[in-house]
Amino acid sequence: MSELLLIDGCEINNWTPRVLDELIAGGVSAVQATCAVWEDARRTLDGLMDWRQRFARHSDRLVLARSSADVLAAQQNGKVAVVLGFQNTAPIEDDPRLLDVYHELGVRVVQLTYNTQNAVASGCLEPSDTGLSTFGRRVVARMNALGMLVDCSHVGDRSTRDAIDASANAIALTHTNPRWFCDHPRNTPDDILAAVAERDGVVGVTTYPNFIGGPNVSLGQFCDMVARLADQIGVDHVALGSDLSREWSDADLVLLRNGRLNPDPEAASWPRWQDWFSTASDFPALLDGLRAVGFDEPALTAVAGENWLRLFETVFTGEPADSGTAPESAIGHAGYTVSNLDSAIRFFTDNLGFVVRHRQIQDNAYTRETVGVEDAVVDNAILVPAGQRDGCELQLLQYLVPAQAGVFSGVSQPGSAHLALEVTDLLELYRFSSARGVRFISPPNRIDSGRNRGGFIAYAVGPDDLRVELVQRPRPGSTINTIGRQDLEAPR
């Protein structure tokens, strides 16, 4: 095993002993291994049981990785860490609770769809990309809570953008290339590449012949592309995702491309791989190629494995969402005043595409939904996700407890469409929100929260700008600033 941490972001092999030998020969420290694409729940469980047996048979060189620490431990012990992943959400059928089962069995990466439309999102080969569905948003939220990495490699452009916005964690494109390098719908346009990087995600460049322009593309051309991509989105967001597909027959390729969706599929053959990379044993030559185009050792270390490791460390630490109610002390730490509810509703609807609902409390009971109320006083309220419509829906939720000094205070500008909220205790806000399963992400000039790079934020909408971000990003043109800055302890 090499001292260099080398992680391949995606391989979809038939995992024969020869393939395992190739991993060892190539100095691979860890690999994300596809264990399901079109399989339903029962067949997926069969595949996961096969992996349990494989780990037992090859315990001298393979180990299941559930965390970044497992990856490092495997490298230190001279073994290959295997991160199990799906390249489709077919295995969850119509029940997101199955994600909990798969997570318990070691699955850590789930691609939202494989080329085509499913209940979650649109694939990259669909003629019309309808975006992430309401069901898809629930799937993403559950993956966030569990600590599963959202992969959008085969996902359509609009659906990918929706997933980036909907996910509380960074996402990945585990095996793709820039579309400017190879104009193929499976590759990724500049705006999506930038969006993944802005949220601290990772893009794994693939050596699959169809997505590099064919087997005649040279090692130098490929490595020049990787260098340009690193300049484009930052070297900390570029990694390797070969998409090796070893030891399969052509019949297996037909099944992989069609699943059960096409009863009369066309014949297909695996492409010829380039002579400089066709098995995992060729990774040393690829790394030398990156050195030749100017990658110094720190940059090479980042691309070879450290970027994947950082993402695993950030994402795989999720905890199951708490579906219970928040303690009364936390509920009491939310209160602000809206001097013009009509204007507030118009601001969020017109500027952010959100829908805001206000529920009025009377005699300690919910009575009716109220919109169009002038100079309404809203106490003990917090903006939280409340379903989806055009990306995200917001609701003013009220609780039957007295307002207390704490998270929110302030009054909107009279007659304006802006809520002015001052954040006095960010840690209390985090406790309040996390108790209800609500995840917050920070704006670009983010609050420092130690290992949790996303941070936690509170909202402040001033007279002229949207000051802090909620779950979905503001639309282009909004100015983001942070107020009430306060360091947070990383969640335990």
Side-chain angles (χ1 to χ4, degrees):
M1 298 294 289
S2 169
E3 293 182 2
L4 178 72
L5 180 69
L6 176 58
I7 301 176
D8 192 352
C10 183
E11 295 189 17
I12 187 172
N13 303 307
N14 180 18
W15 299 92
T16 64
R18 180 162 70 172
V19 171
L20 302 184
D21 291 340
E22 292 165 354
L23 292 173
I24 301 294
V28 176
S29 311
V31 59
Q32 194 252 123
T34 298
C35 58
V37 180
W38 298 105
E39 289 84 350
D40 59 14
R42 185 64 188 87
R43 293 177 181 178
T44 298
L45 290 173
D46 286 340
L48 291 171
M49 295 307 102
D50 288 344
W51 268 103
R52 288 175 67 91
Q53 293 177 321
R54 186 172 293 115
F55 287 128
R57 285 197 306 270
H58 302 284
S59 60
D60 59 325
R61 52 181 174 170
L62 290 183
V63 63
L64 172 64
R66 298 173 179 268
S67 66
S68 59
D70 290 341
V71 172
L72 292 175
Q75 185 196 28
Q76 293 169 0
N77 293 323
K79 299 181 181 182
V80 177
V82 177
V83 178
L84 295 178
F86 299 160
Q87 282 202 49
N88 204 347
T89 47
I92 70 171
E93 300 179 356
D94 61 352
D95 191 348
R97 294 176 300 175
L98 282 169
L99 289 167
D100 295 62
V101 176
Y102 299 137
H103 182 270
E104 184 68 23
L105 293 174
V107 177
R108 289 297 182 269
V109 182
V110 177
Q111 185 174 277
L112 298 185
T113 183
Y114 190 87
N115 295 338
T116 60
Q117 180 74 49
N118 63 17
V120 168
S122 295
C124 61
L125 301 186
E126 283 291 339
S128 178
D129 187 345
T130 59
L132 197 65
S133 68
T134 299
F135 176 71
R137 294 176 191 281
R138 295 193 183 107
V139 169
V140 168
R142 193 63 195 141
M143 289 175 62
N144 288 164
L146 289 167
M148 302 174 86
L149 178 62
V150 176
D151 182 6
C152 288
S153 297
H154 286 251
V155 180
D157 294 345
R158 177 183 171 186
S159 293
T160 299
R161 180 72 233 204
D162 286 352
I164 294 168
D165 290 338
S167 179
N169 293 330
I171 76 155
L173 305 173
T174 61
H175 53 300
T176 188
N177 287 320
R179 202 167 288 172
W180 52 254
F181 179 67
C182 177
D183 190 9
H184 192 290
R186 255 286 282 115
N187 285 334
T188 308
D190 286 352
D191 62 321
I192 300 297
L193 294 171
V196 171
E198 286 171 5
R199 290 290 307 280
D200 211 21
V202 173
V203 177
V205 292
T206 178
T207 54
Y208 193 81
N210 292 359
F211 309 137
I212 67 172
N216 294 325
V217 170
S218 70
L219 173 61
Q221 289 173 314
F222 179 83
C223 292
D224 281 338
M225 176 272 289
V226 181
R228 178 179 164 186
L229 178 63
D231 289 339
Q232 178 181 346
I233 65 173
V235 72
D236 289 340
H237 307 292
V238 179
L240 304 176
S242 69
D243 202 17
L244 280 167
S245 44
R246 299 279 294 138
E247 302 283 281
W248 296 113
S249 68
D250 287 346
D252 293 318
L253 177 60
V254 173
L255 180 62
L256 176 63
R257 288 183 175 176
N258 296 274
R260 296 186 298 276
L261 301 181
N262 186 352
D264 188 25
E266 296 180 358
S269 298
W270 290 99
R272 178 174 67 86
W273 283 66
Q274 48 282 0
D275 56 9
W276 49 268
F277 193 94
S278 60
T279 81
S281 62
D282 293 322
F283 269 113
L286 176 56
L287 296 177
D288 285 342
L290 294 175
R291 291 187 180 98
V293 299
F295 280 82
D296 59 18
E297 288 308 304
L300 189 70
T301 298
V303 172
E306 291 292 339
N307 291 338
W308 281 131
L309 187 71
R310 183 191 72 245
L311 188 64
F312 295 166
E313 180 180 14
T314 301
V315 173
F316 292 172
T317 55
E319 297 179 356
D322 184 356
S323 59
T325 59
E328 183 171 315
S329 60
I331 294 176
H333 282 284
Y336 56 83
T337 301
V338 179
S339 65
N340 188 323
L341 188 60
D342 270 344
S343 296
I345 291 171
R346 281 196 300 271
F347 174 80
F348 283 104
T349 301
D350 296 343
N351 291 286
L352 301 178
F354 294 155
V355 175
V356 178
R357 295 185 302 202
H358 165 61
R359 289 189 175 181
Q360 188 178 46
I361 296 178
Q362 181 175 336
D363 298 329
N364 289 337
Y366 292 104
T367 56
R368 58 191 174 88
E369 290 194 1
T370 306
V371 294
V373 177
E374 293 291 335
D375 299 323
V377 175
V378 183
D379 294 324
N380 315 315
I382 185 171
L383 289 170
V384 298
Q388 282 72 37
R389 177 173 172 179
D390 294 330
C392 185
E393 181 179 5
L394 301 183
Q395 187 175 13
L396 293 171
L397 296 182
Q398 299 187 324
Y399 305 100
L400 308 180
V401 296
Q404 299 179 19
V407 178
F408 290 137
S409 64
V411 181
S412 68
Q413 302 296 316
S416 76
H418 307 285
L419 300 174
L421 310 177
E422 181 182 359
V423 182
T424 58
D425 189 339
L426 291 176
L427 187 55
E428 192 61 32
L429 173 64
Y430 164 62
R431 289 170 177 157
F432 171 84
S433 59
S434 62
R436 333 195 84 66
V438 178
R439 293 290 301 275
F440 290 109
I441 57 177
S442 70
N445 53 336
R446 51 198 169 200
I447 298 164
D448 181 15
S449 62
R451 288 172 51 196
N452 192 317
R453 296 182 173 214
F456 306 101
I457 58 88
Y459 278 25
V461 180
D464 300 315
D465 60 6
L466 176 66
R467 292 205 171 181
V468 183
E469 179 181 2
L470 193 60
V471 171
Q472 183 173 1
R473 289 188 177 279
R475 292 189 173 179
S478 297
T479 302
I480 306 175
N481 299 302
T482 304
I483 65 171
R485 181 179 293 273
Q486 177 179 326
D487 290 346
L488 302 178
E489 295 177 2
R492 299 184 184 279

